[in-house]
Amino acid sequence: MTILVLAEHDNAELKDATARALTAAAAIGGDIHILVAGKGSKSVADQAAALDGAAKVLHCDNDLYAHGLAEPLALLITGLMANYDAVVAPATTSAKNTMPRVAALLDVMQVSDILSVESADTFTRPIYAGNAIQTVQATDAKKVITVRTTAFAAAGDGGSASIEDIAAAEDPGLSSFVGEELSKSDRPELTSAKIIVSGGRGVASGENFGKYIEPVADALGAAIGASRAAVDAGYMSNDYQVGQTGKVVAPELYIAVGISGAIQHLAGMKDSKVIVAINKDEEAPIFQIADYGLVADLFKAMPELAEELGKAS
Amino acid sequence: MKVVVPVKRVVDYTQKIRVKSDGSGVELANIKMSMNPFDEIAIEEAIRLKENGTASEIIAVSIGPQQAQETIRTALAMGADRGILVQSDDIVEPLGVAKILKAITDEEGPTLVILGKQAIDDDSNQTGQMLAALLGWPQATFVSEVTPDGDKARVVREIDGGLQTIQINLPAIVTTDLRLNEPRYASLPNIMKAKKKPIDMKTPDDYGVDISPRVKIITTVAPKGREAGIMVESVAELVDKLKNEAGVI
Ligand SMILES: Cc1cc2nc3c(=O)[nH]c(=O)nc-3n(C[C@H](O)[C@H](O)[C@H](O)COP(=O)(O)OP(=O)(O)OC[C@H]3O[C@@H](n4cnc5c(N)ncnc54)[C@H](O)[C@@H]3O)c2cc1C
């Protein structure tokens, strides 16, 4: 078996999600090659070559792949698949965009968001926002798989795979990149942070995120997250949303502030090691899954918490 | 332009999911079913395109059991013009759904197919992308803004890092994210009117596509629950527990 792993990157940095997808690929078993498709992405190829367990890195450097547009990238991957039995990618928004296109071009049914590898063709995956776990067997000759990154540890980086430059595939000419608006932050990335402080509708404004959530996040070196209600209301931007249809996180510590605990939110954070809930409603469902619950007004509790943490360190 | 909007009948998002003890699946008897919320957003977007003069006709398509007619009726009551039900009592996987939708798209010739980014039952997030691949069309997924302009459309997408704007050629596939719009409720008069709108009844065989499953479901189990936690009385106690009991700060 030879497996192609699709690297997640921004042309400068290889994302931790790739190392996690690699661990899933290794569990399937076989030779593993990593595809780095980008523009000016040489350093990403170098980082990928250092991942433990990779035999080879395929590097395709071309304008076509500068922004991860699905149409050209899917053609590139599909063209390579004659030599591979499986393609595995982390379930990031970019791979969620591209991989089903690859699967359909190969006439393969994709298995999305796997939680474990039971054997080379059998996997578990969540359905109904993680309220049920299916064991499924993929019967197609080739496999197309996306990986829930919180379910797999990251591969180490003591490897030294060879890097092979490969040619670009044809340009389908269907779409073009116009621009992007990326959230800039000095905080850890949400999906790989050790601690997350998340705010919900109870926080009541974007300004309050700055006043009540940020100081606690600062004191803990934490990332900030949000519920859908907080994002819909415009308190935080879409990339902060944790949940069934947002990001899935599993930090060491998740502090949910002014979040009620709807199943769609729980789906994105219930595998966190320790969960803290701060909510003024003692009946809030979030308390049923919290390790530590505090019934309190967040506008009183959060400043106290920031101060207490300042003392503690 | 014509717009096709596929709509899926799923367990309502407010329902508590119970897994059958024999591992055969999720309990669907006596449970409230509704249109997949992302598909409501798709229908709403199509209606807005019609209201601003961009779209001329909206066709709501469902692939599912007889009862999926109700889901189509909901779409018609919101403002879709007609429906197609491709009746199947078996689970049709995203790839099979995409193949049926390709046949319908070939027949109807829409300029846009707007789908939900995922169905909240199987959470696969695949059908739109697969349909785009089968048609050789561009795809704009996880979209929070769509602006058609002549033979192109400008689209804003929700991505992990923030927002991405792309331009796509038309015809194209669009999949909706939560911030695209807020779907309307159907008014009573429109619900009445929808009863007279036509729904074409079809079967997968009518489209001559192979929809036999490629992924075998072996078992379905409930996830591991979390152990019950404790309530703390004060912020100071919370910090103490996190430091000295949980050891996470
Ligand atoms: C298709 C679909 C997809 C969805 N996807 C997601 C998703 O990915 N992620 C997600 O989060 N949700 C998602 N949702 C939405 C979800 O169902 C809930 O509506 C949402 O999570 C609620 O957010 P919330 O807890 O912030 O708001 P609410 O449910 O309104 O809860 C606010 C909480 O704040 C508390 N509060 C208010 N004031 C204070 C105060 N001063 N001090 C302390 N506590 C206070 C209240 O007691 C309450 O419990 C989805 C829904 C649908 C239909």
Side-chain angles (χ1 to χ4, degrees):
Chain A
M1 179 107 96
T2 315
I3 303 175
L4 187 64
V5 171
L6 177 63
E8 173 79 19
H9 66 88
D10 58 5
N11 290 319
E13 205 189 322
L14 182 73
K15 303 292 178 191
D16 165 74
T18 313
R20 294 173 184 272
L22 183 66
T23 301
I28 296 170
D31 272 352
I32 300 174
H33 299 173
I34 301 177
L35 172 64
V36 175
K39 178 62 194 171
S41 46
K42 173 74 176 71
S43 67
V44 178
D46 291 339
Q47 293 161 56
L51 287 182
D52 288 332
K56 185 156 82 174
V57 172
L58 304 183
H59 183 212
C60 190
D61 206 59
N62 192 289
D63 283 334
L64 275 178
Y65 312 115
H67 303 287
L69 291 175
E71 300 86 353
L73 184 54
L75 272 193
L76 176 69
I77 297 170
T78 312
L80 295 170
M81 285 306 290
N83 301 321
Y84 294 93
D85 303 291
V87 53
V88 174
T92 56
T93 48
S94 55
K96 285 180 186 171
N97 184 29
T98 302
M99 293 286 273
R101 192 168 179 108
V102 171
L105 290 174
L106 296 170
D107 193 27
V108 166
M109 181 48 210
Q110 170 176 313
V111 182
S112 294
D113 240 345
I114 64 165
L115 297 168
S116 70
V117 176
E118 303 297 307
S119 73
D121 64 0
T122 304
F123 312 95
T124 62
R125 62 174 305 267
I127 55 172
Y128 289 98
N131 287 298
I133 309 294
Q134 260 180 356
T135 303
V136 298
Q137 184 182 20
T139 62
D140 286 307
K142 291 190 194 288
K143 316 277 179 260
V144 177
I145 290 160
T146 65
V147 174
R148 173 152 301 187
T149 51
T150 52
F152 294 88
D157 58 359
S160 56
S162 60
I163 300 177
E164 185 185 319
D165 287 316
I166 60 166
E170 70 182 278
D171 178 3
L174 296 169
S175 58
S176 57
F177 174 79
V178 177
E180 59 193 1
E181 224 178 280
L182 302 181
S183 293
K184 284 189 199 72
S185 160
D186 298 332
R187 295 180 197 287
E189 212 176 323
L190 189 51
T191 50
S192 49
K194 293 215 154 44
I195 303 180
I196 296 172
V197 185
S198 254
R201 198 195 309 268
V203 179
S205 72
E207 197 181 301
N208 284 346
F209 263 84
K211 239 162 99 185
Y212 296 95
I213 304 293
E214 272 183 28
V216 171
D218 285 341
L220 292 167
I224 291 178
S227 72
R228 174 192 174 180
V231 175
D232 282 4
Y235 307 162
M236 297 299 281
S237 59
N238 61 281
D239 45 303
Y240 288 86
Q241 182 182 312
V242 171
Q244 178 186 14
T245 62
K247 286 182 175 143
V248 177
V249 300
E252 299 278 300
L253 173 60
Y254 188 92
I255 305 181
V257 184
I259 292 178
S260 62
I263 56 166
Q264 292 84 6
H265 188 78
L266 304 187
M269 46 65 79
K270 70 180 157 68
D271 292 327
S272 304
K273 189 162 157 249
V274 173
I275 296 174
V276 169
I278 300 177
N279 196 302
K280 68 177 181 190
D281 173 10
E282 61 180 308
E283 303 282 312
I286 189 81
F287 288 127
Q288 290 165 19
I289 63 137
D291 299 285
Y292 301 105
L294 176 65
V295 178
D297 183 340
L298 73 90
F299 301 115
K300 287 215 184 72
M302 292 303 278
E304 256 181 77
L305 182 54
E307 198 194 314
E308 197 69 36
L309 290 169
K311 268 196 264 169
S313 58
Chain B
M1 65 161 81
K2 264 197 212 180
V3 182
V4 165
V5 183
V7 293
K8 185 177 187 183
R9 178 177 184 265
V10 300
V11 172
D12 188 88
Y13 79 96
T14 58
Q15 299 294 295
K16 192 161 169 49
I17 298 301
R18 276 196 308 113
V19 177
K20 292 187 201 163
S21 54
D22 64 0
S24 66
V26 163
E27 187 57 74
L28 295 178
N30 302 317
I31 198 160
K32 185 179 173 206
M33 306 291 285
S34 307
M35 187 189 300
N36 178 42
F38 287 101
D39 304 347
E40 285 182 354
I41 297 173
I43 288 281
E44 176 65 33
E45 196 62 18
I47 297 169
R48 291 185 188 189
L49 288 173
K50 194 173 169 193
E51 286 170 346
N52 76 16
T54 311
S56 52
E57 188 185 26
I58 303 164
I59 305 153
V61 179
S62 196
I63 294 146
Q66 176 68 27
Q67 298 94 311
Q69 256 196 87
E70 294 159 22
T71 314
I72 296 177
R73 287 282 169 221
T74 304
L76 297 175
M78 286 173 73
D81 297 293
R82 61 186 168 92
I84 301 174
L85 174 64
V86 183
Q87 204 184 321
S88 170
D89 290 325
D90 302 323
I91 294 177
V92 187
E93 293 171 343
L95 183 61
V97 171
K99 287 179 179 179
I100 294 172
L101 291 175
K102 170 172 190 304
I104 292 175
T105 305
D106 286 341
E107 225 168 75
E108 296 285 350
T111 304
L112 277 175
V113 183
I114 311 180
L115 305 89
K117 77 165 179 179
Q118 75 192 70
I120 60 165
D121 51 3
D122 66 20
D123 284 332
S124 285
N125 193 334
Q126 299 176 0
T127 305
Q129 297 89 314
M130 287 181 158
L131 176 59
L134 298 178
L135 290 163
W137 285 11
Q139 65 186 55
T141 54
F142 327 146
V143 155
S144 60
E145 210 180 301
V146 189
T147 321
D149 183 12
D151 60 356
K152 293 197 163 32
R154 205 183 157 89
V155 177
V156 181
R157 307 181 50 234
E158 294 197 357
I159 59 171
D160 283 338
L163 296 173
Q164 181 190 57
T165 304
I166 60 171
Q167 191 179 55
I168 51 174
N169 295 348
L170 296 177
I173 301 298
V174 167
T175 80
T176 62
D177 217 316
L178 295 167
R179 260 68 61 178
L180 182 57
N181 61 49
E182 217 174 293
R184 70 194 64 194
Y185 292 101
S187 66
L188 196 58
N190 285 343
I191 292 171
M192 300 311 290
K193 260 197 269 171
K195 294 193 171 144
K196 295 202 193 76
K197 292 183 181 175
I199 300 181
D200 254 359
M201 303 298 281
K202 298 280 190 181
T203 67
D205 284 344
D206 292 335
Y207 298 101
V209 293
D210 174 18
I211 54 161
S212 43
R214 311 288 190 83
V215 173
K216 210 163 113 190
I217 299 167
I218 297 172
T219 56
T220 305
V221 299
K224 273 204 289 297
R226 288 186 74 95
E227 276 171 41
I230 60 163
M231 300 303 285
V232 294
E233 296 303 321
S234 68
V235 167
E237 188 188 351
L238 175 62
V239 172
D240 175 62
K241 294 280 186 203
L242 291 177
K243 273 183 75 174
N244 302 316
E245 192 175 271
V248 286
I249 62 171

